[in-house]
Amino acid sequence: MKREIMVASLLVLTLIVAPAGAFSADNLLITVDDDGSANITFEYTISWIERIAVFFKIAEPEQELKSALEETLGVPVTVTSAESDNASFLVQIFAKVRSTDEGSVYTTPGLDFTRAQEMLDSYWFAPLVEADFSPDLTVVRFPDGYEETFANQSAIPALSHALA
């Protein structure tokens, strides 16, 4: 118990005297599977203060990202892995798949990262964190290997792709 109080005190002191922490979205890879599910891998950079918070389970970025994805997509999301600088998710119902005479058409939902900033702003520690939620590079990969890429975009539009 004394150790936990000491660690918490150290963290509070660090937050008071240290500059604002920084969160930066680096890469977002969305791989759409044949059935419309998707594997999503999000790579990010966090400050040393945030790394300490993750280590002590004070902050869990993967859970915040999971919640944001579930709210945005309106479907359950499973965390498949989490490290201090990346997290991977499985979304069972991501793209709508429609069969046509020419093949299957996959339609992905749009994603708006500005909502993440709004969510962050609701927390007491928001003034202590400088965040950039726009991934440096976003790649949406369809089952046939076709890719759409976006650089430094705060929103990704809905995409449609036909497989022959």
Side-chain angles (χ1 to χ4, degrees):
M1 182 68 167
K2 287 183 180 183
R3 179 177 177 221
E4 292 168 347
I5 292 171
M6 185 172 74
V7 169
S9 298
L10 179 62
L11 284 174
V12 169
L13 179 62
T14 301
L15 289 172
I16 291 170
V17 300
F23 174 92
S24 175
D26 298 330
N27 296 305
L28 176 62
L29 172 62
I30 301 170
T31 305
V32 180
D33 293 328
D34 289 325
D35 63 358
S37 63
N39 290 294
I40 299 174
T41 301
F42 189 58
E43 297 175 357
Y44 46 86
T45 302
I46 56 177
S47 71
W48 65 272
I49 295 170
E50 292 156 333
R51 285 186 188 275
I52 291 170
V54 169
F55 179 79
F56 286 108
K57 300 288 186 195
I58 296 168
E60 294 179 292
E62 73 279 1
Q63 292 303 319
E64 294 300 326
L65 293 166
K66 174 186 184 297
S67 295
L69 282 169
E70 287 178 334
E71 184 177 320
T72 299
L73 301 172
V75 297
V77 173
T78 303
V79 177
T80 56
S81 71
E83 302 292 330
S84 62
D85 60 354
N86 69 75
S88 295
F89 308 92
L90 174 63
V91 182
Q92 291 290 343
I93 305 168
F94 182 76
K96 291 187 178 12
V97 183
R98 184 173 42 92
S99 294
T100 67
D101 292 339
E102 291 81 34
S104 298
V105 176
Y106 290 77
T107 303
T108 65
L111 297 173
D112 186 352
F113 306 117
T114 58
R115 292 275 303 129
Q117 183 64 51
E118 292 170 13
M119 289 176 67
L120 174 64
D121 290 342
S122 70
Y123 290 103
W124 67 268
F125 57 82
L128 303 172
V129 179
E130 182 180 315
D132 176 8
F133 292 104
S134 303
D136 294 340
L137 179 66
T138 299
V139 176
V140 180
R141 184 175 298 140
F142 291 89
D144 63 352
Y146 173 78
E147 295 180 347
E148 291 271 350
T149 60
F150 304 89
N152 295 310
Q153 298 293 312
S154 61
I156 305 302
L159 302 171
S160 286
H161 176 67
L163 276 68

